[in-house]
């Protein structure tokens, strides 16, 4: 109200005392310039050159209009006071380089396996272009793209120990009673380098839809795509198979050490030429004996004519080539809210939050697994709603010219999928050959031709069970699928230095 009163008062004073108003150096319309053009050519010249000196387009305003323009004289220099236009319009582009630190890994719920890449470092080049429609349509369209390369080396850990290990086979007696479970526990550490990542996003928003004082907020809806590829080389590991039970003593081939420490011997299978076998550790399964510090050898009355021993899958290994290779994609819709606060005419700060529901896909290849297919050994997928994405960003901008600003920002991204579906693609050639071997061992003519001993009923049952398992693999197309098996998390945090330009 007070501002309106001042405007009306000034208009009245101009109409009543035009000479006084002109003498004070306050001009409201072109009539004033013309009236004093003959007596004071300096004022007239000043009026003609104002637009060129300030780079602004002057507008002629009649006496009856309520809109005013004011030029205030101070010390003989004319200064223009113009209300700034808060609406954004036209194209704005930005480009920057980010240095990001990330971690990615996944857990398998029932398989008892964890795999994670730690301390991944990315150098990422990113660019964004936004178009603001302006006053008539307070909307904006923004698209962006990024490409990154892994910087240096980072460790990969394939952990099949801390989550319980994996089941190798179940052992039963002649009456089909469970004797125990042969389980594997492995751990390997490799080196990751030469990874690549790329992504893009597109969004439509309502420019400065919310306002709180000098804070302006823009809601938007969009689609984001992120894909990265990580590779592991020089992988070193060890594997140990032990024999577990379900009774009060869960570790048959283990003993309890100092302060409850559990020490386990490797799974040992002794067998004789007639096909009998005994599983032993520090105690002998299916026999009674005291626990000693030494692994028990089967007594003559338990297993005569011992001709061999197997340690199962207990060994140390080195994999000098590529041992793991994963390509992972997070892509889907999101909602975002971006806020901006203008500190002054040259500086501003901004921040934003993004919530998304991406689809998840991760394809892996492990070339040293001869029982799996290549180049795609495994595939994990999560549908819409299985995964979430939260993104945060903050930025400080300072103007270096009228159209160029330097930017310094911080970014944080968190992706998580729960209960994704896991698929394993089996090597049909390997399992077909194994199937044929079991069939041959069950054939009396084949055993006689190769001077093989007769089979016990336990061994016959075991071979038939393996054949049935392989037949099941074949009927499923050599693909094993497990729903709700995968939990995967990707996190990254980075600093970004860039430039923003208006066109």
């Amino acid at each position: 109200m007070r501002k309106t009163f001042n405007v009306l008062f000034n208009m009245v004073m101009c109409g009543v005392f035009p000479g006084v108003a002109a003498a004070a150096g306050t001009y409201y319309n072109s009539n004033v310039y013309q009236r004093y053009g003959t007596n004071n050519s300096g004022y007239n010249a000043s009026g003609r050159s104002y637009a060129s000196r300030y780079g602004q387009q002057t507008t002629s305003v009649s006496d009856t209009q309520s809109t005013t323009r004011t030029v205030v004289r101070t010390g003989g220099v004319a200064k223009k006071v113009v209300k700034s236009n808060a609406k954004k319009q036209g194209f704005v582009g930005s480009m920057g380089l980010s240095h990001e630190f990330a971690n990615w890994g996944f857990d398998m719920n029932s398989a008892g396996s964890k795999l994670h890449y730690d301390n991944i470092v990315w150098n990422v080049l990113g660019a964004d272009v936004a178009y603001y429609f302006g006053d008539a349509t307070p909307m904006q369209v923004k698209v962006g793209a990024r490409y990154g390369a892994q910087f240096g080396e980072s460790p990969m850990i394939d952990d099949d120990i801390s989550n319980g290990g994996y089941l190798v086979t179940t052992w039963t007696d002649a009456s089909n009673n469970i004797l125990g479970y042969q389980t594997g526990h492995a751990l390997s550490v490799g080196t990751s380098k030469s990874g690549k990542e790329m992504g893009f996003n597109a969004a439509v928003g309502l420019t400065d839809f919310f306002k709180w004082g000098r804070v302006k907020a823009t809601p938007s809806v969009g689609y984001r795509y992120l894909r990265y590829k990580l590779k592991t080389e020089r992988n070193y590991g060890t594997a140990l198979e032990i024999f577990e039970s379900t009774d009060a003593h869960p570790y048959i081939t283990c003993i309890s050490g100092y302060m409850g420490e559990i020490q386990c011997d490797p799974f040992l299978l002794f067998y004789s030429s007639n096909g009998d076998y005994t599983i032993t550790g520090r105690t002998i399964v299916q026999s009674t004996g005291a626990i000693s510090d030494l692994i028990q050898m089967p007594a003559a009355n338990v297993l005569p004519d011992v001709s061999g021993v197997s340690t199962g899958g207990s060994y140390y290994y080195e994999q000098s080539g590529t041992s793991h290779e994963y390509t992972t994609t997070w892509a889907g819709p999101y909602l975002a809210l971006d806020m901006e606060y203008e500190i002054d005419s040259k500086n501003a700060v901004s921040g934003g939050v993004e919530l998304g529901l991406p689809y998840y896909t991760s394809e892996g290849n492990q070339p040293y697994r001869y029982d799996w297919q290549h180049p795609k050994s495994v595939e994990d997928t999560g549908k819409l709603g299985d995964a979430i994405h939260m993104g945060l960003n903050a930025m400080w901008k300072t103007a270096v010219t009228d159209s160029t600003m330097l930017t310094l920002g911080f970014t944080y991204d968190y992706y998580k999928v729960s209960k994704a579906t896991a698929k394993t693609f089996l090597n049909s050639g390997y399992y077909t050959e194994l199937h044929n071997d079991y069939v041959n061992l069950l054939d009396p003519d084949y055993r006689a031709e190769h001077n093989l001993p007769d089979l016990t009923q336990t061994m016959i049952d075991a071979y038939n069970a393996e054949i049935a398992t392989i037949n099941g693999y074949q009927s499923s197309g050599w693909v094993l699928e497990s729903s709700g098996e995968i939990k995967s998390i990707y996190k990254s945090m980075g600093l970004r230095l860039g430039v923003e330009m208006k066109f």
Side-chain angles (χ1 to χ4, degrees), residues 29-47:
N29 54 61
S30 58
N31 293 331
V32 176
Y33 285 99
Q34 310 231 346
R35 185 175 302 144
Y36 287 87
T38 57
N39 298 327
N40 192 334
S41 60
Y43 282 114
N44 198 15
S46 174

Side-chain angles (χ1 to χ4, degrees), residues 214 339-351 395-399 405-408 500:
R214 301 175 70 178
M339 293 167 286
E340 186 178 64
Y341 176 79
E342 294 184 2
I343 300 174
D344 52 37
S345 60
K346 290 188 176 182
N347 297 278
V349 292
S350 63
M395 184 178 296
W396 171 69
K397 300 185 289 186
T398 183
M405 303 186 80
L406 292 179
T407 63
L408 178 63
E500 180 179 293

Side-chain angles (χ1 to χ4, degrees), residues 266-300:
F267 171 86
L268 295 177
L269 176 64
F270 291 91
Y271 54 93
S272 63
S273 57
N274 63 5
D276 293 333
Y277 64 89
T278 296
I279 302 170
T280 72
R282 298 193 189 189
T283 60
I284 298 179
V285 180
Q286 296 177 308
S287 69
T288 302
I291 297 177
S292 70
D293 290 336
L294 301 177
I295 295 176
Q296 302 283 335
M297 291 290 291

Side-chain angles (χ1 to χ4, degrees), residues 386-387 416-420 484 486-488:
D386 291 339
K416 178 182 178 180
V417 64
S418 300
K419 300 181 179 180
I486 301 296
K487 173 186 175 183
S488 179

